[in-house]
Amino acid sequence: MEAAGAGPPYGGPDDPPYGGHAPPYGYGRDDPPYGRRAAPLGGRWRRLVAGVLDLLIVGVLTSPFSATAIERTPRGALAAVHTRNGLLIALIWFLYFWLLTAFWHGQTLGKRLMRLRVVQDPTQEPVTPGQAAVREAVYGIFSAVCCLGLLDLLWILFDGKKHALHDKAASTIVVDA
């Protein structure tokens, strides 16, 4: 029998989680803070579709800075001349991914459409601007180097946490939004 005024036997809404005791089995230091459920990891195919959507969006944004013109050569033949500003394209790419990931709930437009978001690993706290910058810089560097961009993306097929290499570099994961 409880004493008068002692409150319910299992604590009230103002009591610390788990009555001030250690959390139950299965909740360790790498789990999200008490009172919040861990979001499941985002699906590999949805991540792929989100990435393709983002690349299409960035392609449209950077297309004015990359063009092909047809010109006559000195011998009178027609030739395609590719003009582009690679530095400006890289800057737009980086800013698109970094700004949206850092300041729009860990989501780019593609991730928002596919209901995914980037969070810190393992706490699932919102990603910091620094983590987002590292994540996108590593992704950009890998994409610029032959075959490493493909390896970076394919890594999620074999990793238990569905980490890409740029996720590992920034200590982030992609979860359901």
Side-chain angles (χ1 to χ4, degrees), residues 117-138:
R117 67 188 179 107
V118 179
V119 294
Q120 293 182 33
D121 183 31
T123 63
Q124 292 198 9
E125 293 291 320
V127 67
T128 66
Q131 283 177 302
V134 168
R135 186 177 194 272
E136 304 318 327
V138 169

Side-chain angles (χ1 to χ4, degrees), residues 68-171:
T68 302
I70 305 296
E71 295 182 356
R72 290 204 178 270
T73 63
R75 294 183 180 187
L78 295 177
V81 178
H82 302 285
T83 60
R84 63 178 161 194
N85 188 338
L87 185 59
L88 186 57
I89 291 171
L91 180 64
I92 291 170
W93 175 332
F94 176 80
L95 288 176
Y96 171 84
F97 284 101
W98 174 64
L99 288 173
L100 290 178
T101 301
F103 301 106
W104 204 37
H105 308 292
Q107 295 177 304
T108 57
L109 293 171
K111 283 185 180 62
R112 176 142 308 183
L113 289 171
M114 298 309 297
R115 297 185 178 164
L116 298 168
R117 67 188 179 107
V118 179
V119 294
Q120 293 182 33
D121 183 31
T123 63
Q124 292 198 9
E125 293 291 320
V127 67
T128 66
Q131 283 177 302
V134 168
R135 186 177 194 272
E136 304 318 327
V138 169
Y139 180 52
I141 291 168
F142 281 164
S143 296
V145 177
C146 178
C147 301
L148 287 183
L150 181 60
L151 176 66
D152 178 37
L153 296 177
L154 291 176
W155 201 268
I156 67 171
L157 297 175
F158 308 104
D159 190 89
K161 281 188 165 181
K162 302 176 188 175
H163 272 142
L165 295 175
H166 60 272
D167 289 315
K168 289 184 179 298
S171 296

